[in-house]
Amino acid sequence: MMPLDELKNCLRYEPDTGRFIWASAITKSVKKCLIGQEAGVLHHSGYVYIKIMGKKYAAHRLAWFFVHGEFPQGFLDHINRNKSDNRISNLRKATRSQNSANMRGRSNTGFKGVQKTQGKYTARIRYNYKLRHIGVYATAEEASEAYQKEAKKLFGDFAGAFSH
């Protein structure tokens, strides 16, 4: 990682929008015609990446570096789950479990942590790398409510809202 002062000569960060703007043409990849233009490319993963001196950086990690003066070593969580929203107010340090807790769910019911099996709805949650059984319910909504209660207990503010 380049020193923060060099990075700030190259890019300008707007904390209220999460956007980066090219500030100078200190590298061959940043031509003078790009100065004042938004930096970064939206990747198919949903994250914004910025290439500086031949190295690709995730914009949310650069935002953290700009504001806090340290390049994050662990996970950064996008609070609103929008991977391209790099406003500093939308970013927080997280453990792997906390980051996963705030992700959208993928299930056959549309509710995170809820699976339909044999006409009933099973709620399960992953915590500390283990899948925990919460219970079996008559409706997907009841199972989702149980999941959300357990998620809030285990993950606090990282639990988010888990309906559809």
Side-chain angles (χ1 to χ4, degrees), residues 9 18 23 33 42 60 65 71 114 122 127 143 151-152 154:
N9 284 332
C33 63
L42 183 62
H60 62 287
F65 186 41
F71 201 78
V114 177
T122 303
Y127 182 70
K152 189 71 172 168
L154 295 173

Side-chain angles (χ1 to χ4, degrees), residues 107-111 113-124 137-140 143:
S107 88
N108 61 5
T109 63
F111 292 96
V114 177
Q115 295 291 321
K116 186 174 184 178
T117 51
Q118 300 175 354
K120 301 238 181 206
Y121 297 88
T122 303
R124 297 182 298 184
Y137 303 87
T139 69

Side-chain angles (χ1 to χ4, degrees), residues 68-88:
H68 297 289
E70 65 176 15
F71 201 78
Q73 297 303 310
F75 289 86
L76 285 181
D77 180 54
H78 287 83
I79 297 167
N80 68 4
R81 299 184 191 160
N82 179 346
K83 297 174 186 177
S84 65
D85 182 352
N86 297 311
R87 292 173 296 130
I88 199 65

